[in-house]
Amino acid sequence: MDNTALRQRLNSRFPEVDAVFDDHVARARTLLGADEATLLAWIDLAGWLGRLGRGVEPLLVALETLPEVLHTAGVGVLQPLRETLAALQKSPDGRALGPLLQSLPAVARRLPSGPLLARYFALVLRLAARTRLSIHGHHATEPSPCLPTLLDQAPRLVAQVPLDGLARWIDEGVRLHGRHPGHLVAWFGLEAPDSRAVLQRERHGTLLVDVERRLSLTLRGLWSDEAALVPCPVDRDGPPFRPHLEPDGFRLPEVLDARGDVSALARYRAMLAHLAAHRRWSRPLVADNLSPMQRLAIECVEDARIDQLTLRRHPGLAPVLRALHPVAPAPEAIDAAEAAGRSTLRLRLVRLSRALLDPAQRCEGADDELRGRFQALLAEGESDTRQMADLALRWVARTRRQSDQSAQVVFDATEVDWRDDNRHLWTYIEAGDEEAAFDDTHRPPRTAPDDTRLPPHLYPEWDHAIRAHRPDWVSVHDTLQPAGDARQIDALLQRHQHTARHLQRLLDALKPQDRTRLRQQEEGTELDLDAAVRALIDTRAGCTPDTRVQRSTRTDGRDFAVLLLLDLSASVNDAVPAAPGETVLSLSRAAVALLAGAVAQLGDQLAIAGFHSNTRHEVRYLHLKGFGEVWDDTPKARLAAVEGAYSTRMGAALRHAGHLLSGRRADKRLLLVLTDGQPADIDVADPAHLIADAAEAVRALDRLGLHTHCISLDARADDYVGQIFGSRWAVVDRVEQLPRRLVEVFAGLTR
């Protein structure tokens, strides 16, 4: 389906969508590949959000963020997400739709599966319901004061604690401060000391997302398997989570603790090896005619075979598996449990499993007979699942007890830590209660679409109120500036001839003048007299002479990479009173043209770009000249066509420019910013917000080793430019002098 059909399906009349729709579709096709059904589901959800009466903001956020969420967690996340959004829409917390969607990509990177995100949504709804305010005491009339704070902090929280710990932390905050809205905000904003202390208490174990890359490399290197590792929620107070196989990957617990001397990473590796071995050597059996007891016994013996084949391939796992396996219960303990009328089937299976894993474990009777047959089959080769089933059924027939029918089953110390739930081992001819509806979400294929548009880049934005970054907050759209008439730039340069002659003297001073003499060269411009005399002496003495008797010189060069970033907000269209017929933009064009010509003569690397913004959803980054382009009519034509529009969201543009400049190899990398006003945008009411964000962006560029300098045309820039750029700025009070001053500043910075 092409973009026009998708735009019609979106069914939105907001004009703000038209400017960014194609870019977001390009990004979605990149992330989702050829999965047309997921693409349509994303469009349908975004269109539904646009018709809720909440304005254009939720729709724009959904277009930006949901493709990455679907790429990470699969299309199965859309249903619980829509239910959560619908519940918030019908409640006083309808304004939380945008913050929830905005933080979702960062949350999904830490909770990359449908079940995890569904549980996270449940926590959000539960907190909202418990903390809404009521004026009359009968029903909620005011939104939750702490829900926006929780959503802001959610990426940070899910990166520190598993979901069960997060749930307990939320419950503790509501229990302690449920009647005090201000205290709730402080708790969920991590401003209260007791909040940080309780959160620290909930931090335990190793999160799968933190070791996923290492485990994936282990799986690929040792098992030649490319399966995805999908974390699933763990309830510390509920039944233990069992790993399992799914067609789209391995399901593993989201967090594991160390157990004894076995680290959490070693436990993950044991689970991974067991699942990979099952996928390689196990084959499904028909379950319809088998009793639950028979199926449990077959699973136990098949798991033992899989473990033996794994240890045959990777014997270093043996100490880990034996340390994690439960201790075999004594026969007296089994008899005592049976005398109490409890089923001891699981105890007997654990004893059998231990005997099959550890040759040193003593066993007798049916267990000893099964172990002998088991070892004989594996001595002949890999055996198979059918043979293991025959062994298990024989063992069940010999060891069946009356108490096995009891509903009181002994479960204590019977879970084998690394083994899965064996759902893959059974197939059913007739559907029944045994077949649970498991999660069947899948990750879309990563196929590159045939699309020439560049998808938007998502960047964080610094919020000085909470002193933290809002992740994936701003969309920066790369655009190649359309071409105009290059002759307009030539005409501008003709009008500024007198300035060009002045600048030529500066360029002569900047050109490399130091010459280094290179002696003993095979080829050169003149004879190296000393080397020639030594060669003559060697020749007459009968020795082989050194033929490097030439001399040459080279000039010490410059190694600069410069990116000139132009503020192209609407204010550059203003006229300059001191220069009739000129605007800030026309003088900026002339200054840039003079600088580009100067840099071309010096041989430095130069790129030119401009930017303007129309809210955080549309920051346009306009490419005028690339580092690899020559300064000729092509970039001149682009420069001639630039126009001023919209606002100045400087921090996002600085981050994107720094990202591009950081890839250049040079001794010094300079980001030169030309602006005529302070950072501002129509969706930001506090002027200090974007100033603080731009300052944080400059500090981030400093850490990357990029030198940033600002040239401001605002006479009142002293009030804010120092906050952003420190001491690296200059103000051109007389705008008509910009063509001269820009090159002079550049000369001073690169001298």
Side-chain angles (χ1 to χ4, degrees):
M1 185 176 289
D2 60 16
N3 287 9
T4 302
L6 290 175
R7 183 68 180 87
Q8 293 175 352
R9 189 182 181 100
L10 185 67
N11 191 23
S12 170
R13 298 182 180 180
F14 292 111
E16 295 90 340
V17 175
D18 295 332
V20 298
F21 182 77
D22 289 342
D23 293 334
H24 289 312
V25 170
R27 182 168 184 264
R29 291 189 189 277
T30 300
L31 293 172
L32 304 179
D35 192 346
E36 200 74 15
T38 303
L39 189 70
L40 296 178
W42 163 62
I43 289 292
D44 291 342
L45 180 58
W48 173 75
L49 284 168
R51 296 187 291 274
L52 290 182
R54 296 282 174 186
V56 71
E57 181 73 9
L59 169 57
L60 289 174
V61 175
L63 291 175
E64 288 176 5
T65 61
L66 288 187
E68 182 179 348
V69 176
L70 294 172
H71 171 72
T72 303
V75 70
V77 76
L78 282 182
Q79 184 61 30
L81 174 60
R82 183 161 185 160
E83 293 172 357
T84 302
L85 296 172
L88 291 175
Q89 164 67 8
K90 296 175 182 178
S91 73
D93 290 296
R95 293 184 179 179
L97 267 63
L100 173 65
L101 290 168
Q102 190 65 55
S103 62
L104 200 52
V107 171
R109 286 193 286 270
R110 302 296 301 188
L111 307 176
S113 73
L116 283 177
L117 286 176
R119 189 171 179 191
Y120 166 73
F121 296 149
L123 291 179
V124 169
L125 291 179
R126 183 180 177 191
L127 173 67
R130 295 177 65 187
T131 55
R132 292 185 187 117
L133 304 178
S134 174
I135 296 177
H136 304 291
H138 298 292
H139 57 274
T141 56
E142 296 296 323
S144 166
C146 57
L147 180 59
T149 306
L150 173 73
L151 296 175
D152 285 340
Q153 295 289 343
R156 177 182 175 186
L157 293 171
V158 297
Q160 296 184 49
V161 296
L163 280 179
D164 65 325
L166 180 62
R168 286 190 291 272
W169 178 75
I170 290 174
D171 291 342
E172 188 73 3
V174 175
R175 185 184 68 82
L176 293 174
H177 305 294
R179 297 181 179 273
H180 302 279
H183 293 176
L184 279 175
V185 173
W187 176 279
F188 289 103
L190 296 175
E191 298 173 2
D194 56 342
S195 171
R196 295 191 294 271
V198 173
L199 187 69
Q200 183 66 30
R201 186 182 68 196
E202 296 296 340
R203 297 181 68 176
H204 68 90
T206 299
L207 295 175
L208 176 60
V209 292
D210 292 330
V211 295
E212 180 181 3
R213 178 170 175 78
R214 297 170 67 181
L215 294 175
S216 296
L217 291 174
T218 299
L219 185 64
R220 185 185 307 170
L222 299 184
W223 295 96
S224 301
D225 200 322
E226 298 283 348
L229 308 183
V230 183
C232 293
V234 175
D235 187 355
R236 194 191 302 180
D237 301 323
F241 176 83
R242 301 288 299 278
H244 54 272
L245 287 173
E246 291 287 357
D248 62 322
F250 297 165
R251 298 296 195 274
L252 298 170
E254 63 163 332
V255 62
L256 279 182
D257 294 308
R259 180 165 293 177
D261 295 332
V262 181
S263 67
L265 182 60
R267 291 180 64 193
Y268 272 127
R269 283 176 172 154
M271 292 178 181
L272 205 64
H274 189 77
L275 292 172
H278 260 310
R279 190 144 86 163
R280 174 167 296 188
W281 289 306
S282 289
R283 295 295 178 266
L285 302 171
V286 176
D288 294 73
N289 295 326
L290 297 173
S291 69
M293 178 180 179
Q294 290 172 325
R295 289 203 295 269
L296 281 174
I298 292 172
E299 289 174 3
C300 175
V301 180
E302 175 66 1
D303 280 339
R305 178 180 78 97
I306 291 301
D307 288 339
Q308 287 299 322
L309 294 177
T310 300
L311 294 179
R312 184 182 295 176
R313 187 183 180 97
H314 304 295
L317 279 174
V320 173
L321 300 189
R322 290 169 186 165
L324 292 175
H325 197 287
V327 176
E332 296 79 10
I334 297 176
D335 293 340
E338 186 170 3
R342 307 178 69 186
S343 172
T344 59
L345 173 62
R346 296 184 69 89
L347 289 175
R348 302 199 310 273
L349 286 175
V350 165
R351 186 174 177 83
L352 174 63
S353 174
R354 183 79 197 194
L356 296 178
L357 177 68
D358 186 0
Q361 174 67 37
R362 294 182 57 188
C363 62
E364 54 190 18
D367 291 359
D368 189 52
E369 179 186 345
L370 187 148
R371 181 164 68 176
R373 293 176 178 271
F374 177 84
Q375 292 173 345
L377 286 173
L378 287 180
E380 298 173 1
E382 296 176 352
S383 187
D384 58 36
T385 308
R386 182 71 263 173
Q387 290 178 325
M388 295 300 107
D390 293 340
L391 291 181
L393 292 177
R394 228 181 258 119
W395 179 87
V396 169
R398 290 196 56 187
T399 62
R400 187 189 306 272
R401 300 188 182 187
Q402 184 64 34
S403 62
D404 292 341
Q405 306 300 320
S406 174
Q408 299 181 8
V409 182
V410 179
F411 286 95
D412 297 338
T414 62
E415 290 288 341
V416 182
D417 181 84
W418 67 91
R419 290 179 179 169
D420 63 316
D421 63 5
N422 285 303
R423 67 180 64 180
H424 62 91
L425 204 57
W426 305 109
T427 182
Y428 296 84
I429 297 175
E430 296 182 4
D433 295 337
E434 300 92 343
E435 294 180 273
F438 300 122
D439 173 28
D440 60 352
T441 58
H442 65 280
R443 297 188 179 188
R446 300 181 182 179
T447 56
D450 183 16
D451 199 325
T452 57
R453 298 186 68 90
L454 290 174
H457 297 263
L458 299 181
Y459 288 97
E461 187 166 274
W462 178 259
D463 190 333
H464 71 291
I466 62 175
R467 301 193 62 77
H469 281 100
R470 295 182 180 272
D472 300 333
W473 190 251
V474 184
S475 295
V476 178
H477 299 256
D478 278 298
T479 304
L480 183 64
Q481 171 65 44
D485 188 355
R487 291 174 296 181
Q488 295 180 12
I489 300 301
D490 293 332
L492 280 176
L493 294 174
Q494 188 69 24
R495 288 191 348 228
H496 291 274
Q497 277 187 353
H498 60 287
T499 303
R501 286 192 294 270
H502 164 71
L503 297 177
Q504 188 60 47
R505 293 192 293 271
L506 288 177
L507 296 180
D508 292 339
L510 287 176
K511 287 180 180 177
Q513 301 296 329
D514 299 333
R515 300 177 69 83
T516 301
R517 181 175 295 169
L518 303 177
R519 295 181 177 275
Q520 289 187 287
Q521 302 295 304
E522 288 281 358
E523 297 179 357
T525 58
E526 53 187 297
L527 187 67
D528 186 343
L529 188 59
D530 293 337
V533 170
R534 286 195 298 271
L536 180 60
I537 294 173
D538 290 341
T539 301
R540 291 183 176 180
C543 301
T544 302
D546 188 346
T547 59
R548 296 174 298 172
V549 296
Q550 300 291 322
R551 186 175 66 184
S552 63
T553 59
R554 68 173 174 84
T555 302
D556 284 341
R558 295 158 51 92
D559 191 11
F560 284 91
V562 183
L563 197 159
L564 177 59
L565 185 61
L566 307 177
D567 173 5
L568 295 178
S569 58
S571 57
V572 300
N573 297 324
D574 295 343
V576 179
E582 298 280 10
T583 63
V584 174
L585 180 58
S586 66
L587 290 172
S588 298
R589 285 196 187 110
V592 171
L594 288 169
L595 177 63
V599 174
Q601 292 187 43
L602 294 172
D604 294 338
Q605 304 176 59
L606 174 68
I608 306 172
F611 74 95
H612 56 236
S613 64
N614 180 23
T615 75
R616 65 187 179 89
H617 302 292
E618 187 186 356
V619 178
R620 289 288 171 183
Y621 188 91
L622 308 169
H623 293 265
L624 307 182
K625 178 187 178 299
F627 282 109
E629 287 187 291
V630 178
W631 176 247
D632 56 14
D633 286 348
T634 300
K636 286 180 182 179
R638 297 188 196 123
L639 179 61
V642 297
E643 297 290 344
Y646 303 120
S647 305
T648 313
R649 208 175 196 105
M650 185 179 292
L654 287 172
R655 290 184 178 91
H656 192 58
H659 169 69
L660 299 176
L661 182 58
S662 62
R664 306 305 301 178
R665 291 186 177 181
D667 291 341
K668 186 173 184 179
R669 293 170 294 182
L670 172 64
L671 176 56
L672 195 57
V673 183
L674 177 61
T675 180
D676 69 328
Q678 73 179 52
D681 210 339
I682 59 173
D683 60 344
V684 178
D686 182 6
H689 173 79
L690 291 181
I691 293 175
D693 174 59
E696 183 65 23
V698 170
R699 287 191 288 270
L701 297 182
D702 289 341
R703 292 191 290 270
L704 292 175
L706 307 180
H707 185 84
T708 309
H709 195 92
C710 175
I711 300 174
S712 177
L713 307 179
D714 185 3
R716 295 169 295 181
D718 296 356
D719 299 335
Y720 61 86
V721 71
Q723 300 177 41
I724 301 175
F725 295 95
S727 60
R728 294 166 298 181
W729 55 276
V731 174
V732 179
D733 294 322
R734 299 178 61 183
V735 181
E736 65 275 12
Q737 294 182 352
L738 176 61
R740 174 193 295 255
R741 292 284 292 125
L742 179 61
V743 182
E744 289 176 347
V745 170
F746 170 77
L749 293 173
T750 61
R751 192 177 302 277

